[in-house]
Structures are given as C-alpha cells and as structure tokens.
DNA sequence: ATGCCCTTAAGATAAGGA
C-alpha cells in the first residue's frame, strides 16, 4: 500500500505541498504558530463511535476529529434521516462521508479521508424488522465502504430489548446473516482486508459488564448465551477482536442513569473485528474514556485502532 | 427500582435505548 504523508494538527496551512485539508480551527492554530512538529509517515487510524444523535453532538464530533486525527470514523445511532445529516461538517474537515438513515432511529455513517468507494447500505440478506401489523423494513443499521484499501462496515446490531422479545430473535438472525457474509468473504478471499466495527450490543465475557450477577439476576440482554454464541461465531470464522488485547478490563459504554460513569460501572459492547490479514497490521488500539467524561457526551465512547501500511 | 438519564418527533407524552 502506498505511504501517505500525515501532518500534525495545524501544519496544513503553513507547509507547502500538503494535500490534506484540515479544519478552520487547525488553520487558526497554525496561524498562531502553535504547531512546529514535522511531517511524519504513518499507517491508518480507524475509529468507531456510537454517537447517540449526530445533530446533538456536531461540536463534539468536530472537536474529537480535530484532536484525534483519525482517517476513518464509523458512526452509529446518528438518529436522523439523510436529509438532515450534517454532511457539510465532515466535508468541511476534509472527509468524504456516506450516511444511511431513514428516521429518528438507528442511522449509520462512515467518514473517510482516505477514499470512500463502493458504498453499500445494508449487507446482503440483512434481516428486516417490523412491529406486529406493520410491514418489515430494512433498518439503517449497516453501511459499508472501501477506505484506503480496507472494506469497512459501520454496524449497529439490534438491541434485543428482552430475552423473549421478538427483537431478540431479530438480533440473533441479524448477527447470523452477518456471519454468513463473513464466511463467504473469507472463503472467497482469505487475504480480505475487512473491518467490522460498531456497537455490537453484546458483552462477550462476564468481565465486560460491571456486575455480571446484576445482569443475570435481572435477566438482562447482552450477556445471554445465544447472544454470546452469535458473537463468538464471528470470531470462529476468523474475525479478530483487535482492541481487547490493548485495553484489558476497559469499557466502551456507561449508562446515563444512576451515575454509572462516575462509578465506572460500564460495559464493553463496542468492538472492531478485523479479518486475519488486516488484524496482522494492527499496531495500537485504545478506548477514549476521556471523551465520555465531557459535558454532553454520548453514552458510548470512541474505540480507535491504528494499523500499519 | 433501568423510578434515577438522554434523544427524537411532536407539541403531551411515548418509543427506544441497554
């Protein structure tokens, strides 16, 4: 893969030959002479973030992109239709962006400054869902695009709602259909550069929730055997959780209620699953707990992976 | 006792989240 010059925040306006656009805030920093770091060479940085409404958090997204300089950002729960998605925010910051949103529920997006090709809304044979008596629809829970040679999917796995709720059947079928896609892809192309990232709504291990007894006692979702089996089936196909080894014991979500964040009573439910060939390129991964502490934060926090060329 | 919070559409409450 070609190597790409990556400049630190603020360089773009003052260094000749920089092809990377950057935000007005960075230009201001550069004008003030705040930036003196030299250009360097790196690979690619992929982030996933359940934003819990993009319109309510446009400023947080802008600040976060400004600070963390990711190449690809997958968003879930944008909670808006395409007509009201803030495309200009991303384009202003130098990202191409594709969004799939139908209404105030769900909604997924991929922003990229390393190319955004072959956008697909929904995966092949993605199960539909509808309330009883209403037609079933393809919900806005998956969008795929090829970014810098990586096939990225931003995924928002159905919640399940309750262990015996029809939504749980939907969740399990949804994950099984996804697994079938992975199976087909890896069988056809073992060297596939595939990244399935997003909010999986499953806590695969007991340690991925603050109190497993609390979850079991209250017959809560996310920790049940069927959900864990559906998640494990992705790993059995060869997909690799590339974040866990770098962030043992960390959470990605804290409920707004009951002071969960203050007490660090969270859950690990946001994951980046990479195909074997892509997983081999991972150099670093981290969970940005600082973002969750900010005023007006999403209840989920960004999960970032850095890969080598 | 997930009652406790947050976002949406709508224009008061209800749905959804996990």
């Amino acid at each position: 893969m070609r190597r790409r010059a990556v400049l630190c925040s603020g360089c773009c306006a003052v260094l000749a030959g920089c092809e990377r656009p950057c935000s007005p805030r960075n230009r201001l920093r550069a004008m003030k002479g705040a930036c003196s770091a030299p250009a360097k060479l790196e690979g690619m940085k992929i982030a996933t973030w359940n934003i819990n409404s993009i319109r309510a958090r446009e400023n947080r997204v802008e600040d976060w992109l400004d600070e963390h300089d990711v190449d690809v950002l997958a968003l879930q729960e944008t909670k808006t239709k395409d007509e009201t998605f803030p495309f200009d925010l991303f384009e202003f910051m130098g990202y191409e962006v594709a969004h799939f949103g139908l209404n105030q529920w769900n909604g997924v997006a991929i922003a990229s400054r390393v190319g955004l090709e072959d956008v697909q809304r929904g995966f092949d044979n993605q199960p539909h869902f509808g309330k009883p008596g209403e037609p079933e629809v393809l919900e806005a829970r998956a969008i795929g695009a090829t970014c810098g040679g990586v096939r990225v999917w931003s995924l928002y796995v159905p919640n399940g709602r309750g262990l015996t709720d029809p939504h749980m059947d939907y969740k399990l079928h949804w994950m099984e259909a996804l697994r079938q896609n992975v199976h087909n892809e890896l069988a056809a192309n073992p060297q596939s550069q595939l990244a399935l990232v997003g909010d999986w709504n499953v806590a695969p291990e007991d340690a991925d929730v603050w109190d497993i007894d609390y979850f079991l006692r209250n017959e809560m979702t996310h920790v049940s055997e069927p959900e864990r089996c559906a998640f494990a089936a992705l790993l059995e196909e060869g997909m690799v959780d590339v974040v866990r080894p770098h962030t043992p014991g960390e959470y990605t979500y804290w409920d707004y209620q009951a002071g969960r964040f203050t007490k660090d009573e969270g859950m690990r439910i946001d994951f980046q699953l990479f195909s074997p060939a892509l997983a081999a390129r991972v150099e670093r991964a981290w969970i940005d707990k600082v973002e969750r502490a900010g005023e007006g934060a999403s209840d989920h926090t960004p999960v970032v992976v850095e890969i080598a060329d």
Side-chain angles (χ1 to χ4, degrees):
Chain A
M1 189 181 291
R2 78 194 159 83
R3 295 191 72 81
R4 176 178 48 80
V6 175
L7 306 174
C8 73
S9 296
C11 286
C12 304
V14 291
L15 292 185
C18 177
E19 297 176 353
R20 208 184 87 200
C22 68
S23 71
R25 184 178 290 110
N26 276 350
R27 291 182 197 285
L28 190 61
R29 286 199 196 105
M31 284 161 57
K32 290 176 178 171
C35 179
S36 59
K40 57 178 179 176
L41 294 172
E42 342 183 294
M44 193 159 95
K45 212 185 273 191
I46 303 175
T48 185
W49 189 6
N50 179 319
I51 192 64
N52 185 21
S53 171
I54 183 65
R55 287 183 291 161
R57 278 177 256 285
E58 282 191 42
N59 290 341
R60 295 210 72 91
V61 170
E62 181 178 358
D63 290 348
W64 193 84
L65 285 175
D66 237 353
E67 182 173 355
H68 295 290
D69 212 35
V70 298
D71 297 291
V72 178
L73 174 62
L75 293 167
Q76 301 86 38
E77 280 208 274
T78 57
K79 290 191 169 178
T80 193
K81 57 184 81 173
D82 290 345
E83 296 93 298
T84 43
F85 182 84
F87 289 95
D88 54 345
L89 162 67
F90 295 92
E91 288 159 2
F92 206 53
M93 299 189 74
Y95 292 82
E96 297 175 85
V97 61
H99 179 252
F100 179 27
L102 301 172
N103 49 41
Q104 70 269 46
W105 310 121
N106 316 309
V108 283
I110 299 175
S112 169
R113 61 180 190 197
V114 290
L116 189 76
E117 297 164 3
D118 301 322
V119 173
Q120 183 177 344
R121 289 165 174 78
F123 55 78
D124 292 346
N125 299 312
Q126 181 182 320
H128 295 204
F129 184 77
K131 284 190 262 190
E134 293 182 19
E136 298 200 329
V137 298
L138 178 78
E139 294 187 312
R141 296 180 175 273
I143 188 169
T146 302
C147 310
V150 177
R151 188 64 182 165
V152 178
W153 280 92
S154 177
L155 302 171
Y156 180 42
V157 175
N159 175 290
R161 295 180 185 166
L163 296 183
T164 59
D165 194 291
H167 210 258
M168 181 59 73
D169 288 333
Y170 171 50
K171 178 180 193 172
L172 298 174
H173 282 120
W174 201 95
M175 295 182 75
E176 166 57 18
L178 182 64
R179 184 204 63 77
Q180 189 64 57
N181 274 270
V182 169
H183 179 87
N184 295 344
E185 170 61 22
L186 293 183
N189 178 16
Q191 294 307 307
S192 179
Q193 304 284 309
L194 178 64
L196 305 183
V197 309
D199 176 1
W200 294 79
N201 271 322
V202 176
E205 300 180 8
D206 287 353
D208 294 336
V209 296
W210 79 90
D211 181 356
I212 186 62
D213 291 333
Y214 176 85
F215 278 72
L216 296 177
R217 189 166 61 244
N218 292 288
E219 299 183 338
M220 294 171 75
T221 58
H222 294 59
V223 297
S224 73
E225 252 346 273
E227 290 167 277
R228 286 179 168 178
C229 284
F231 186 86
L234 273 296
L235 305 183
E236 285 156 17
E237 292 291 348
M239 299 301 288
V240 180
D241 176 353
V242 293
V243 179
R244 187 182 291 277
H246 298 265
T247 59
E250 295 184 30
Y251 301 133
T252 66
Y253 162 89
W254 295 260
D255 199 306
Y256 287 123
Q257 302 186 65
R260 295 291 183 215
F261 184 71
T262 306
K263 294 185 275 188
D264 197 25
E265 295 179 343
M267 303 171 70
R268 181 190 285 256
I269 52 177
D270 302 88
F271 298 95
Q272 298 211 24
L273 302 190
F274 283 13
S275 60
L278 184 61
R281 295 167 54 194
V282 172
E283 295 196 321
R284 227 167 74 90
W286 51 282
I287 297 168
D288 184 16
K289 191 175 177 183
V290 171
E291 164 58 31
R292 179 62 180 81
E295 187 180 348
S298 168
D299 43 3
H300 297 250
T301 215
V303 177
V304 188
V305 175
E306 299 178 16
I307 60 177
D309 283 348

